[in-house]
Amino acid sequence: MAANRNLKQVRIENSSPAVPLGMVGGGGGGNLKGLRGLEAESEAAAAMALVPSKEGGGDEEREVGFTIDIKSFLKPGEKSYTQRCRLFVGNLPTDITEEDFKRLFERYGEPSEVFINRDRGFGFIRLESRTLAEIAKAELDGTILKSRPLRIRFATHGAALTVKNLSPVVSNELLEQAFSQFGPVERAVVVVDDRGRATGKGFVEFAAKPPARKALERCSDGAFLLTTTPRPVVVEPMEQFDDEDGLPEKLMQKTQQYHKEREQPPRFAQPGTFEFEYASRWKALDEMEKQQREQVDRNIREAKEKLEAEMEAARHEHQLMLMRQDLMRRQEELRRLEELRNQELQKRKQIQLRHEEEHRRREEEMLRQREQEELRRQQEGGFKPNFMDNMRLAQHLLVTKALLQ
């Protein structure tokens, strides 16, 4: 097998004792019989990426395996080397080296993280895609290495948060966009039911723990709104479950309690027996718990509906208040503009009156100068005005003053 670091391709040899990636090449045609652990869309992508590899030349060429483009295992929009691609490997030999550890996973592409704790016999490795990690887990879990069976599981995602109280209009993209302000987000998913309807819950997986802690603190202290409705989301640390492998029998600890409880096989309790009596009481207790939980759920649902109705009414009232405030603001603006207009008109009127007063003073000054000039000419020429001349002069002065006024 040869691995190309840049192209991230794996070449699988038919002569390999352990058939990697769950593929078996049959006959001379090298047909693909199955991809173990692949989802349908990833399986189709992987099948399209298979290219027969040949050795030799001319007529001596023979098919020896397949070349697989590792990138074909990435779903559309899936990011590579996320924490979802991180595997926990337990029960490792204490003398294993990092090279030996990487050699276990070399057929599944180039890892981006390798960590080994030799004292406690475990390690972590991060592969490029979730699909490759699933294949590696399915093929290597239980593999004997130096007389020790390997225990491989997906590592706990320490930077994942659960988001509740989501609006039905929130999508995966909006959820990722909203939480990207706290740091790089690897994946954001809105949980839906079997009909594709939003359940009001989702989860966000960050690339590191610090932005996850920041988002948890900020959302706990404040009210983080994703849509127009003032309905804040509830953010909590995500509970980690393993709903794929569960608890196999080989991992059960054979304690005294184990052997005591396993003395009786699975069965139905027979009426009238001790088992039936206490089994009935357990069922009654479980039924009571179920009814109380249903009642609590109804109360919460009714309280939410009431709050939504109050919020809608308050929203309309708030909009009316904003409209009234806007109307008052506009009226105040009009009043202020009217005052400015009146002040401007008053100012213009005063300026006009000053101009008229100045013009009148200039006319009076010119008239006085003319009278003085006339008197001076009369005195210099020895002219003595008679009564009729004085009357004409006075009449001229009165007319001039009347025109000026």
Side-chain angles (χ1 to χ4, degrees):
M1 172 174 38
N4 187 313
R5 183 181 184 90
N6 295 325
L7 297 180
K8 299 189 184 303
Q9 292 187 342
V10 175
R11 184 178 176 183
I12 303 166
E13 303 289 344
N14 286 341
S15 60
S16 175
V19 182
L21 300 181
M23 289 178 290
V24 179
N31 295 326
L32 176 66
K33 289 189 176 181
L35 282 175
R36 192 151 46 94
L38 284 179
E39 298 180 4
E41 57 189 57
S42 298
E43 183 174 339
M48 293 177 64
L50 295 178
V51 180
S53 298
K54 298 184 179 182
E55 289 185 351
D59 298 334
E60 297 180 355
E61 289 186 355
R62 62 186 182 89
E63 295 185 2
V64 296
F66 299 98
T67 299
I68 297 179
D69 187 357
I70 295 299
K71 294 182 180 179
S72 298
F73 289 95
L74 285 173
K75 298 179 182 179
E78 180 184 2
K79 300 176 182 178
S80 60
Y81 295 110
T82 64
Q83 293 202 43
R84 296 184 73 245
C85 312
R86 194 166 176 255
L87 292 174
F88 166 83
V89 185
N91 206 25
L92 288 172
T94 56
D95 59 346
I96 189 172
T97 64
E98 182 173 323
E99 290 73 16
D100 293 336
F101 186 64
K102 293 178 65 175
R103 194 175 298 116
L104 285 172
F105 295 89
E106 64 180 356
R107 70 183 66 182
Y108 308 105
E110 186 72 19
S112 68
E113 173 192 357
V114 175
F115 171 81
I116 301 177
N117 188 322
R118 296 182 180 85
D119 296 333
R120 301 180 61 181
F122 71 88
F124 292 96
I125 189 167
R126 189 181 304 213
L127 301 178
E128 184 175 8
S129 69
R130 175 77 176 193
T131 302
L132 286 172
E134 289 174 351
I135 297 173
K137 174 180 174 296
E139 291 191 344
L140 298 180
D141 185 31
T143 301
I144 303 301
L145 182 63
K146 294 185 179 180
S147 302
R148 304 182 66 152
L150 297 179
R151 299 288 181 254
I152 301 181
R153 291 179 178 272
F154 279 99
T156 301
H157 201 308
L161 299 176
T162 299
V163 186
K164 301 179 181 179
N165 210 28
L166 290 175
S167 169
V169 301
V170 176
S171 63
N172 298 340
E173 289 79 5
L174 177 59
L175 187 62
E176 179 176 357
Q177 176 188 354
F179 280 85
S180 294
Q181 62 180 285
F182 305 109
V185 174
E186 290 183 345
R187 196 166 70 115
V189 175
V190 175
V191 180
V192 297
D193 59 15
D194 56 347
R195 297 184 179 181
R197 296 174 299 189
T199 61
K201 299 179 181 179
F203 58 86
V204 178
E205 297 175 352
F206 287 92
K209 291 183 179 181
R213 286 195 295 266
K214 180 180 178 181
L216 182 61
E217 294 174 358
R218 291 284 306 276
C219 295
S220 299
D221 297 338
F224 190 32
L225 308 178
L226 270 60
T227 59
T228 304
T229 302
R231 184 179 180 179
V233 296
V234 178
V235 179
E236 300 172 350
M238 186 175 178
E239 296 185 47
Q240 305 290 334
F241 297 103
D242 183 359
D243 56 359
E244 295 182 2
D245 296 332
L247 184 58
E249 184 71 23
K250 62 183 180 181
L251 298 182
M252 291 290 298
Q253 296 183 3
K254 307 304 188 289
T255 62
Q256 182 178 359
Q257 178 70 16
Y258 170 87
H259 291 291
K260 180 180 178 180
E261 292 294 337
R262 290 298 186 92
E263 290 177 356
Q264 295 289 338
R267 65 203 177 280
F268 283 99
Q270 298 298 320
T273 62
F274 171 83
E275 291 181 334
F276 186 82
E277 177 185 354
Y278 277 87
S280 300
R281 292 175 65 177
W282 274 111
K283 290 186 67 175
L285 182 60
D286 293 337
E287 183 65 25
M288 182 177 66
E289 180 184 9
K290 177 183 176 182
Q291 293 177 359
Q292 291 182 357
R293 289 184 182 277
E294 290 176 351
Q295 182 62 41
V296 171
D297 291 340
R298 283 194 296 269
N299 294 340
I300 295 297
R301 186 167 56 253
E302 291 174 357
K304 287 183 177 180
E305 292 174 354
K306 181 180 178 181
L307 181 59
E308 288 179 355
E310 293 176 353
M311 182 177 62
E312 194 64 25
R315 185 204 303 276
H316 290 308
E317 183 64 27
H318 180 68
Q319 291 177 348
L320 290 175
M321 182 187 67
L322 292 179
M323 292 175 63
R324 286 194 293 267
Q325 291 178 352
D326 184 66
L327 180 60
M328 294 176 62
R329 182 183 60 80
R330 290 175 180 271
Q331 291 177 345
E332 179 65 20
E333 185 71 19
L334 289 175
R335 186 187 62 80
R336 186 165 61 252
L337 291 176
E338 185 67 21
E339 289 182 353
L340 292 176
R341 178 175 173 275
N342 293 334
Q343 292 176 2
E344 184 67 21
L345 291 176
Q346 187 70 20
K347 186 183 299 183
R348 290 181 180 180
K349 186 176 181 180
Q350 291 176 357
I351 293 175
Q352 184 179 0
L353 291 175
R354 285 198 297 270
H355 288 170
E356 293 177 352
E357 181 68 21
E358 182 68 22
H359 180 70
R360 186 168 55 252
R361 284 197 298 269
R362 286 198 300 269
E363 291 289 338
E364 291 178 350
E365 182 66 23
M366 291 175 62
L367 181 60
R368 284 194 297 270
Q369 292 178 0
R370 189 181 303 159
E371 292 177 350
Q372 292 175 1
E373 183 69 20
E374 183 69 21
L375 290 175
R376 188 170 59 254
R377 285 199 305 269
Q378 292 178 0
Q379 291 175 358
E380 291 176 355
F383 175 75
K384 294 181 178 180
N386 55 21
F387 176 77
M388 293 301 297
D389 293 333
N390 291 334
M391 287 294 294
R392 282 195 298 271
L393 181 59
Q395 186 176 9
H396 176 71
L397 292 173
L398 290 175
V399 172
T400 303
K401 288 183 178 181
L403 291 175
L404 292 176
Q405 294 179 354

Coordinates of all heavy atoms in Angstrom, one line a residue, residues 129 288 315:
S129 N -12.0 12.6 7.6 CA -13.4 12.7 7.5 C -14.1 11.7 8.5 O -13.4 10.8 9.0 CB -13.9 12.4 6.1 OG -13.7 11.0 5.8
M288 N -46.9 6.6 37.1 CA -47.1 7.8 37.9 C -46.1 8.9 37.4 O -46.4 10.0 37.2 CB -47.0 7.6 39.4 CG -47.3 8.8 40.2 SD -47.2 8.5 42.0 CE -45.5 8.1 42.2
R315 N -46.0 43.3 21.8 CA -45.3 43.7 20.6 C -46.2 44.8 19.8 O -45.7 45.8 19.4 CB -45.1 42.5 19.6 CG -44.2 42.9 18.4 CD -44.5 41.9 17.3 NE -44.2 40.6 17.7 CZ -43.0 40.0 17.7 NH1 -42.0 40.8 17.3 NH2 -42.8 38.8 18.1

